[in-house]
Amino acid sequence: MKSMTCRELGGPCDTDLHGETADEIIKAQDRHLRESVHSGDTDHVPAHEEMKKRWKHPIKAMGWYNDTKKAFAALP
Ligand SMILES: [Zn+2]
């Protein structure tokens, strides 16, 4: 189990997110952004919009996705 912060994944806070794989941690971030926005946190709105765009334009998002996978793989 590795962890990355919301900030490392493009978000605004230092909440730790956990996952066994990069895909899991990206999903955890997606969930965290959605929950934050739904609970009325406006700081997370831009990152949430970015994340939604990534799902709509997966090809364009590949750079971000690959960077995140590399950062995840480099973790101890
Ligand atoms: Zn956050």
Side-chain angles (χ1 to χ4, degrees), residues 5-7 11-17 29 32-33 36 41 43-44 47:
T5 63
C6 173
R7 197 182 301 280
C13 80
D14 290 313
T15 298
D16 272 321
L17 300 153
Q29 169 72 340
H32 164 67
L33 292 173
S36 301
D41 184 324
D43 288 350
H44 284 76

Side-chain angles (χ1 to χ4, degrees), residues 45-62:
V45 170
H48 185 227
E49 291 300 317
E50 283 298 308
M51 189 65 93
K52 279 198 285 190
K53 266 191 243 163
R54 284 186 197 110
W55 300 136
K56 279 191 203 148
H57 305 287
I59 307 295
K60 267 196 227 162
M62 275 318 260

